[in-house]
């Protein structure tokens, strides 16, 4: 199953690179997301916030630590640490043993990464907390590597 997913990612990245002629970006660094707060009937919602730490391991793989929080009132969140295939500025996270419909795509730009989650049921998608969805434009705040 994981091999099929990697083949899909590889094919997608080849098509995108041919279509857009992208040059490879070193994604190493820290990325932050801060959404907006909204108030509905006096109740505060949000803001969504998140952090992504990335270290390029090889030309075709990255280590990633990902965290997203829904904010008030529930503060539900989701996170993972994993090694992902990296091709043509794209990485895709899947968790077939938890949610086979989960697919989180990371599209790296020079100063940001665009995150897009697809899942059959967003209320519990990707094994995250209730109604937590990994979507947004995370801004690059540092090119340094965090060592643990």
């Amino acid at each position: 199953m994981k091999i099929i997913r990697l083949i899909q990612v590889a094919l997608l990245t080849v098509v995108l690179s041919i279509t857009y002629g992208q040059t490879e970006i070193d994604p190493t660094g820290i990325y932050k997301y801060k959404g907006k707060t909204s108030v509905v009937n006096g109740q505060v919602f949000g803001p969504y916030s998140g952090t992504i730490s990335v270290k390029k391991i090889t030309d075709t793989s990255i280590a990633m630590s990902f965290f997203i929080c829904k904010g008030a009132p529930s503060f539900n969140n989701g996170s993972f640490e994993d090694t992902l295939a990296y091709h043509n500025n794209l990485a895709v996270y899947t968790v077939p043993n938890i949610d086979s419909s989960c697919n989180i795509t990371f599209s790296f730009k020079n100063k940001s990464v665009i995150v897009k989650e697809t899942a059959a049921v967003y209320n519990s998608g990707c094994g995250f907390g209730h109604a937590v969805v990994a979507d947004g434009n995370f801004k690059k705040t540092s090119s340094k590597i965090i060592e643990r």
Side-chain angles (χ1 to χ4, degrees):
M1 185 72 157
K2 196 160 190 149
I3 291 173
I4 292 171
R5 203 57 94 170
L6 289 174
I7 291 170
Q8 289 172 331
V9 170
L11 289 174
L12 175 64
T13 57
V14 168
V15 169
L16 287 175
S17 68
I18 290 169
T19 303
Y20 298 106
Q22 296 178 353
T23 58
E24 197 76 20
I25 293 170
D26 182 350
T28 299
I30 309 298
Y31 301 80
K32 302 269 184 183
Y33 177 74
K34 181 82 169 193
K36 295 184 180 184
T37 302
S38 61
V39 179
V40 178
N41 296 328
Q43 177 144 9
V44 176
F45 293 91
Y48 257 86
S49 62
T51 303
I52 303 171
S53 299
V54 179
K55 180 178 180 180
K56 186 174 179 181
I57 300 170
T58 68
D59 286 341
T60 59
S61 67
I62 59 174
M64 180 182 288
S65 173
F66 177 83
F67 175 79
I68 188 88
C69 180
K70 189 174 176 176
S74 67
F75 294 93
N76 292 344
N77 61 74
S79 65
F80 70 82
E81 290 185 347
D82 204 351
T83 301
L84 306 176
Y86 180 69
H87 299 283
N88 295 327
N89 306 319
L90 289 176
V92 178
Y93 175 73
T94 61
V95 283
N97 56 334
I98 295 173
D99 178 358
S100 62
S101 73
C102 171
N103 204 345
I104 304 175
T105 302
F106 298 87
S107 178
F108 289 89
K109 310 295 181 196
N110 284 326
K111 296 182 181 179
S112 67
V113 58
I114 297 168
V115 179
K116 181 67 180 160
E117 175 185 331
T118 57
V121 179
Y122 287 102
N123 279 337
S124 59
C126 302
F128 293 166
H130 177 72
V132 174
V133 179
D135 273 342
N137 187 5
F138 288 65
K139 304 290 183 187
K140 193 169 195 175
T141 58
S142 173
S143 294
K144 295 182 180 178
I145 301 167
I146 293 180
E147 299 293 337
R148 292 184 193 222

